[in-house]
Each structure stands twice: as C-alpha cells, then as structure tokens.
Amino acid sequence: GAGVSQSPSNKVTEKGKDVELRCDPISGHTALYWYRQRLGQGLEFLIYFQGNSAPDKSGLPSDRFSAERTGESVSTLTIQRTQQEDSAVYLCASSLATGGEQYFGPGTRLTVT
Amino acid sequence: AQSVTQLGSHVSVSEGALVLLRCNYSSSVPPYLFWYVQYPNQGLQLLLKYTSAATLVKGINGFEAEFKKSETSFHLTKPSAHMSDAAEYFCAVSEGNTGGFKTIFGAGTRLFVKA
C-alpha cells in the first residue's frame, strides 16, 4: 500500500501570492494532520481532521491559512498572501484514530521570495 | 492542553556509549506518548509509542522509553550508540481518544554520534 503523499515537493512563490499544498493520506486513515517545520526547528501543529467531525484549527497561525478535507481522503492547505515567514516545510500525516501513530508524508518545501 | 519539553536541543555521545534523550510532558488526561525519528533527508518515522499498557516500551533499532507518571517523563534510551543513530528525535504527546488525538511535538533533540 502507498504511504502518505504530498505535492508539490517544492514550491517557490513570490510574496503576496496564494499557494495550495496537497496531501493524499493512507487509504482508510480517518485522521489527518498538517504541521509546519521551520528550518532547524520542531514541528508546529496547524490543523487536525478526524472523520466527519469539525476540524481542530487551533494551530493555524493566522486567517491567511486554511485547510479543507474531502471526506476521509485528500486534504489541501491554502496559504493566502504568502509572507517570507511562511517559508518552511509543510508536513502532512495520517493515522487510524484508535492507534494514534502517525504516518508522515515527505513534506512540501515552501520558499517565499 | 498538552505540552512537551525536550531537554537539550543537541546531544553528543561516543559510539558505543549510552544514549539518553529527555522528554517531559504535561497532559490533563492519561496521555499517549511517542518518539519519532527524522534521519537526514528523510521523513519522520515512529520509533515507539506508549498507550497505557506496559510502562517500559521497546521500539525499533534497540531504543526504549519508560513512562514515569510521577515524574511526567518519557525519556528515550539506547544502551549502545551506533553511528547510524545520528538523527533528530522528537517526543510527542496526544490526549488520545479523549482529546481527539491532537498531537503536540517537542522542539526536537539532534543526536550526534562520534567515532
């Protein structure tokens, strides 16, 4: 079975542009997470989806950030009006709700120039 | 709300020496605890997890961690370091089913192994 996939792997954008990052979780995983990892730092929780429940958006840093998930499949993280401080690796992970173990994708490296 | 503190952003050991990476957590409910490893230029992968069963948890590559409720700790150890253990290690806490599995990660500890 395929693991978590993310696209694009790298994205360079100009300040002020919008970007959309995609995550394909492992089939059957009801939980999906987005994290941000700035260079040399730990993982910063952004948002969490669990089945059909309302997502936990408590980690989104500003209203420029939003995410959607279609059922228990693909998720997209959108950053509007990008700023240089948004430059980071954005990681997606999925898990079975009962296990809690998360399986991570390879990440999208976002560079805002 | 849960939180995680990893003591020491960098740890250096000699090959063959004991590895000890420290993690303290806070949680309002019995936690689920995890250690993840990130090898250079690779994605994160699970080393081991604690989910309220045995307090001493064994993981991959000879690593283990002990859950100590009284100390709110979940330190990671390995008796003898190998060069291939050089990586970044992240401790994470989740409040499990009660908290909806939201997971908070520590800032990470980079392990260096000297020959």
Side-chain angles (χ1 to χ4, degrees):
Chain A
V4 177
S5 61
Q6 292 185 246
S7 61
S9 56
N10 281 283
K11 177 72 176 179
V12 180
T13 190
E14 293 179 353
K15 178 181 173 182
K17 300 282 190 184
D18 297 352
V19 296
E20 191 173 276
L21 312 181
R22 177 187 170 104
C23 172
D24 283 85
I26 293 173
S27 177
H29 280 194
T30 58
L32 186 147
Y33 307 76
W34 283 99
Y35 298 92
R36 178 169 69 180
Q37 186 176 27
R38 290 192 167 116
L39 186 64
Q41 298 187 22
L43 275 71
E44 178 185 356
F45 168 80
L46 296 178
I47 188 169
Y48 160 66
F49 295 90
Q50 171 57 53
N52 294 319
S53 302
D56 181 338
K57 303 179 182 181
S58 59
L60 294 178
S62 77
D63 59 7
R64 295 187 297 106
F65 288 72
S66 63
E68 293 183 349
R69 186 181 188 192
T70 306
E72 293 184 352
S73 60
V74 171
S75 176
T76 55
L77 176 69
T78 301
I79 309 173
Q80 295 178 310
R81 305 180 302 282
T82 52
Q83 303 294 313
Q84 287 187 329
E85 62 262 28
D86 298 335
S87 296
V89 175
Y90 289 82
L91 292 166
C92 175
S94 69
S95 73
L96 290 168
T98 54
E101 171 185 350
Q102 295 179 38
Y103 294 81
F104 283 83
T108 294
R109 183 176 299 278
L110 176 65
T111 303
V112 182
T113 62
Chain B
Q2 66 269 50
S3 67
V4 176
T5 302
Q6 290 185 240
L7 298 176
S9 58
H10 296 84
V11 170
S12 182
V13 300
S14 297
E15 192 172 21
L18 171 72
V19 175
L20 171 60
L21 305 182
R22 300 178 187 273
C23 173
N24 288 87
Y25 70 92
S26 69
S27 176
S28 56
V29 301
Y32 287 18
L33 295 161
F34 307 84
W35 276 99
Y36 286 84
V37 60
Q38 188 172 33
Y39 295 106
N41 300 316
Q42 295 186 31
L44 278 92
Q45 58 182 284
L46 183 72
L47 262 184
L48 50 81
K49 66 179 180 181
Y50 166 78
T51 57
S52 77
T55 56
L56 182 63
V57 181
K58 294 187 183 298
I60 62 172
N61 301 336
F63 283 92
E64 61 182 37
E66 185 173 9
F67 171 66
K68 291 188 177 180
K69 183 178 178 180
S70 62
E71 299 177 7
T72 61
S73 70
F74 191 57
H75 302 331
L76 181 70
T77 61
K78 181 173 180 177
S80 176
H82 191 273
M83 298 296 288
S84 61
D85 294 327
E88 184 134 26
Y89 293 80
F90 295 93
C91 182
V93 62
S94 164
E95 294 189 333
N97 198 42
T98 306
F101 289 103
K102 174 181 173 178
T103 306
I104 300 299
F105 282 74
T109 297
R110 185 167 294 279
L111 176 66
F112 297 92
V113 182
K114 300 174 291 187

